[in-house]
Amino acid sequence: MNRSTTTPRSAARSLGLSLVAAASLAAFSSTAFAQEKVLRIAMTAADIPRTLGQPDQGFEGNRFTGIPMYDALTHWDLSKFDGPSVLIPGLATSWAVDDKDKTKWVFKLRPGVKFHDGSDLTADAIVWNVQKVLDKDAVHFDASQVGVTASRMPTLRTARKIDNLTVELTTSEPDAFLPLNLTNLFIASPAHWQKKFDAAPGATPADKAKAAWTAFAADASGSGPFKMARFMPRERLEVVANKAYWDPKRTPKIDRVVMLPMPEANARTAALLSGQVDWIEAPSPDAIPQIRQRGFKIESNAQPHVWPWQLSFAEGSPWLDKRVRHAANLCVDREGLKTLLGGMMAVPKGTVPPGHPWWGNPKFDIKYDVKAAQTLMAQAGHSAAKPLKVKVQISASGSGQMQPLPMNEFVQQSLKACYFDVEFDVIEWNTLFTNWRKGAKDPSANGSHATNVSYAAMDPFFAMVRFTSTKTFPPTSNNWGYFGNDEFDKLIADARTTFDDKKRDEALAKLHARIVEEAPFVWIAHDVGPRAMSAKVKNFVQPRSWFVDLAPVTMD
C-alpha cells in the first residue's frame, strides 16, 4: 500500500497509551471497583471524545460521551433490535412547526428535569445551548463546539424562550428534518458552566470563557443517565449511574462505566481476552473465531452506516468522468471484502438498501462486474498500460471506520484490475474527520481525490442532503467533494419542505435514485457494528442504529 503520510510513530504511541491505560485500569479496578458493578469498554477512538457537551471523534463521541451523559430535545429509540430506530421525545415532550411560518418550531419541555449539578433544566437552558454554538456575541460561545454541531443542523438559527417549559426554534428556511437533526444538540448545564466561568482566570471575558469550558469538560454536568466521575485525557473516562434520571426505563442498572481509547484492533482484542475490559468495539476479524471459542459474545446488526470513498468534483479530479465513477463501483469485490471481515459487513446497493422507503429504484446497479468496469475505463482512455492515478485520504482507525487499513488495501487491489492506480494518504482519524468539513480544495486534503469517512444514514440530512447540496459546500457541512447542481438542490428542496411523511419519503426516493445514478461515492460496505463482550454483560440491545444505550445493561 502506498502512503504519502506515514504514521508508525503515532500508531505506536496510540497503542502504547492504550496498553498503559488498560494496565492501569486492571490495577485500579481490583480495589476501587470491588463493591461496584462496573462495565469496562475499549473504544476505537485514539482519545476520549470531548466531554463538554458536543463530542468529537465522529459519532463514537455521541455514543460514549454524548448519549450517556447528556440529553437532547429529541432522542433515538435504541430499545429494539428488530426494527429501525425512530425519533422519540427527549427533553421535549412534543414539537410542532408553525402552520403559517414553516421556519418556526415550538418545543414543549419535560417538567422536573434536573442537571447533574442540581439546577433545573428549563427553556433558558435550551436557549443558552443554542447560543453556545450559534451566537458569536454570547459570552459562553465556544467556537470549538461549532464544527461538530452546526454542520449537523445547518438551518438552525435562533432559540427564544416562550415560557419556562416552551421554546421556539427558528430555521433559515423551511426544514422538515430539524427534529431529527436536534438529536445532536446535547444540553449542558448553564448554571454549572457559570460557576466555572466565575472561578476562571483570564484578562477578558473571552479568556475566562475558554478556561471555563476547559474546566467544564473535566467536571461536566448534563442531565443524562450517567454522571461524570473521573476524566483522564487520552487514558480513561469514568461515569457513574444517575439514579435520579427522569426516565425510569433508562435509569442505569450498573454503577459505573469505564471507557478506554484503544485505536488498534489487536490491542482491543487482547484486552478483552485477558479480562482487562468487558466490551470492545470493532474486534479484529481474524480474532472473531477465537473470541467466540473463549466464550465471549459477538453482537452485530444491520445499521444505517455507510463505509465509502467520497469523491472530489474539484477541477482536475479524475472522478469528473461518470464512466470512471461507475467503473470503480463495479470493480470492488464486496463479497470478497465481506469474507475478509469475517462476514461483519453488508453489501451496499447505494446509501440505503432496496426496499427502504428512500430506495427509488436507481437505473445504475452497483454490483461486481470487472468486464463492464474495464470497458468503461477503456472508453475513458485508461488501460493496464495507462492506469488512472487516484489518491485517497484515509485513517488507520476511528469511529465507524471498521478496519480501515486492510479494507482500503483490499479495495486498492480490487481496483487495480480495472486500471486504477490507488495511493493512500494515511492520517489520524480525528484530523481526517476535521478535514471532512474543509473540503477537497483545502490544503488539508493534501491533493487527495477522495476521502474515506464513514457516515450514519439514519436521517435524510445525514444520509443524502449534506453530500449533494450546493448549500453544504465546505465549510458549511460535509460536501467534501463539492458535488451538486440545480437539479439536486431542487430535489432536496422538495423533500425538505414536505412535512407529510409519506410524500417526503417519495421525494427522498427520487433524490436517492439520482445520487446512485450520478455516483458521487464509491459505496464499499455497510457496517453491522460488530462488538465483542464478556458473557457477564447482560441486557444489551444492539439496535439497528449507529448508537447504543448503555443504561439498560447489567453485569453478572
Side-chain angles (χ1 to χ4, degrees):
M1 180 174 69
N2 297 320
R3 304 180 186 178
S4 61
T5 302
T6 55
T7 57
R9 183 176 298 177
S10 59
R13 180 176 178 273
S14 296
L15 175 58
L17 287 170
S18 299
L19 296 176
V20 168
S24 63
L25 171 64
F28 188 77
S29 62
S30 63
T31 54
F33 299 160
Q35 304 304 315
E36 293 184 314
K37 294 290 186 180
V38 181
L39 173 65
R40 303 162 301 172
I41 298 174
M43 304 178 292
T44 65
D47 197 356
I48 300 295
R50 300 186 82 197
T51 55
L52 74 180
Q54 300 305 128
D56 62 353
Q57 300 290 342
F59 270 166
E60 193 160 37
N62 284 30
R63 185 194 295 145
F64 288 127
T65 67
I67 293 171
M69 293 198 298
Y70 294 92
D71 287 310
L73 287 170
T74 55
H75 287 176
W76 293 108
D77 182 359
L78 304 175
S79 65
K80 303 178 182 68
F81 68 89
D82 56 354
S85 292
V86 296
L87 199 68
I88 58 174
L91 293 176
T93 57
S94 65
W95 51 91
V97 68
D98 189 284
D99 286 337
K100 296 180 180 179
D101 185 350
K102 293 294 194 291
T103 67
K104 296 186 185 300
W105 293 77
V106 173
F107 288 78
K108 294 288 186 179
L109 303 184
R110 192 176 300 278
V113 177
K114 290 188 177 292
F115 288 107
H116 299 153
D117 59 285
S119 60
D120 293 326
L121 198 158
T122 65
D124 288 320
I126 306 302
V127 173
W128 187 92
N129 276 272
V130 171
Q131 290 174 333
K132 77 183 179 186
V133 291
L134 293 182
D135 185 357
K136 294 181 179 180
D137 294 327
V139 173
H140 62 287
F141 174 78
D142 183 15
S144 74
Q145 298 187 59
V146 172
V148 293
T149 310
S151 63
R152 295 171 177 175
M153 51 193 76
T155 65
L156 181 61
R157 289 295 178 267
T158 62
R160 180 177 70 88
K161 173 183 176 180
I162 295 177
D163 59 43
N164 253 6
L165 293 176
T166 312
V167 65
E168 179 188 79
L169 301 185
T170 304
T171 58
S172 59
E173 60 186 275
D175 188 359
F177 309 153
L178 181 69
L180 297 158
N181 299 160
L182 289 171
T183 57
N184 299 286
L185 181 64
F186 294 106
I187 306 301
S189 168
H192 193 62
W193 183 89
Q194 188 64 45
K195 290 180 181 178
K196 302 298 183 187
F197 179 83
D198 292 342
T204 67
D207 291 337
K208 287 175 65 69
K210 187 175 181 179
W213 277 117
T214 299
F216 187 97
D219 178 29
S221 178
S223 62
F226 290 93
K227 302 184 289 187
M228 178 185 280
R230 191 170 187 231
F231 175 55
M232 299 176 66
R234 295 177 297 282
E235 289 189 24
R236 105 164 26 90
L237 170 67
E238 296 175 21
V239 295
V240 295
N242 174 16
K243 296 299 185 182
Y245 188 59
W246 54 265
D247 184 356
K249 294 180 181 178
R250 293 190 65 221
T251 300
K253 307 299 188 295
I254 47 178
D255 299 307
R256 185 181 296 261
V257 180
V258 181
M259 289 170 264
L260 299 169
M262 286 193 191
E264 211 283 320
N266 289 327
R268 291 193 299 275
T269 301
L272 179 71
L273 295 176
S274 65
Q276 291 178 338
V277 297
D278 309 295
W279 163 332
I280 63 172
E281 298 289 285
S284 173
D286 292 343
I288 287 176
Q290 182 186 9
I291 289 171
R292 285 181 167 139
Q293 289 167 7
R294 295 277 295 273
F296 295 92
K297 302 180 291 184
I298 302 290
E299 300 279 359
S300 66
N301 202 350
Q303 59 186 41
H305 197 259
V306 183
W307 198 93
W309 285 0
Q310 185 178 356
L311 309 178
S312 170
F313 288 76
E315 184 178 356
S317 171
W319 302 109
L320 292 174
D321 189 328
K322 185 162 69 172
R323 293 170 299 185
V324 171
R325 304 196 299 273
H326 280 192
N329 273 289
L330 293 171
C331 200
V332 177
D333 179 9
R334 296 171 182 85
E335 290 293 344
L337 181 60
K338 186 175 181 178
T339 299
L340 175 73
L341 295 174
M344 291 298 170
M345 65 163 270
V347 174
K349 285 285 191 178
T351 297
V352 299
H356 192 285
W358 307 339
W359 170 241
N361 297 314
K363 295 176 183 177
F364 174 55
D365 183 18
I366 297 172
K367 58 185 178 180
Y368 185 44
D369 190 337
V370 173
K371 287 186 177 180
Q374 290 174 337
T375 298
L376 287 170
M377 289 295 282
Q379 291 172 359
H382 305 289
S383 64
K386 187 184 176 183
L388 180 64
K389 293 183 180 295
V390 297
K391 185 176 183 180
V392 187
Q393 198 165 72
I394 70 173
S395 66
S397 65
S399 169
Q401 292 298 92
M402 301 174 71
Q403 309 293 336
L405 290 182
M407 289 174 72
N408 275 300
E409 288 171 342
F410 184 94
V411 175
Q412 181 186 46
Q413 290 304 309
S414 273
L415 293 182
K416 191 172 184 179
C418 301
Y419 320 140
F420 288 91
D421 180 4
V422 179
E423 176 187 2
F424 293 126
D425 178 24
V426 187
I427 61 176
E428 189 270 333
W429 157 242
N430 217 42
T431 303
L432 181 70
F433 191 80
T434 299
N435 291 355
W436 202 22
R437 282 188 67 228
K438 295 180 179 179
K441 299 177 184 179
D442 190 81
S444 64
N446 199 20
S448 294
H449 309 118
T451 187
N452 172 223
V453 181
S454 62
Y455 63 90
M458 66 280 195
D459 75 61
F461 177 75
F462 278 82
M464 296 183 278
V465 172
R466 60 180 170 157
F467 305 124
T468 58
S469 169
T470 61
K471 295 180 180 180
T472 57
F473 284 171
T476 301
S477 193
N478 301 119
N479 196 341
W480 179 89
Y482 294 87
F483 174 83
N485 54 43
D486 290 344
E487 177 199 359
F488 279 85
D489 285 347
K490 173 66 166 54
L491 290 168
I492 290 165
D494 289 346
R496 190 169 235 157
T497 57
T498 302
F499 290 82
D500 176 83
D501 290 348
K502 184 177 180 181
K503 291 181 179 178
R504 185 167 63 248
D505 283 346
E506 292 172 357
L508 290 166
K510 293 178 182 177
L511 174 61
H512 180 260
R514 289 294 295 125
I515 291 172
V516 174
E517 289 162 1
E518 289 300 315
F521 296 97
V522 179
W523 287 271
I524 296 168
H526 285 327
D527 197 1
V528 296
R531 45 183 55 92
M533 56 188 67
S534 165
K536 296 178 182 179
V537 179
K538 305 290 186 183
N539 296 313
F540 169 71
V541 174
Q542 175 104 9
R544 292 183 186 173
S545 172
W546 173 230
F547 305 120
V548 298
D549 190 1
L550 302 178
V553 175
T554 60
M555 290 287 292
D556 283 351

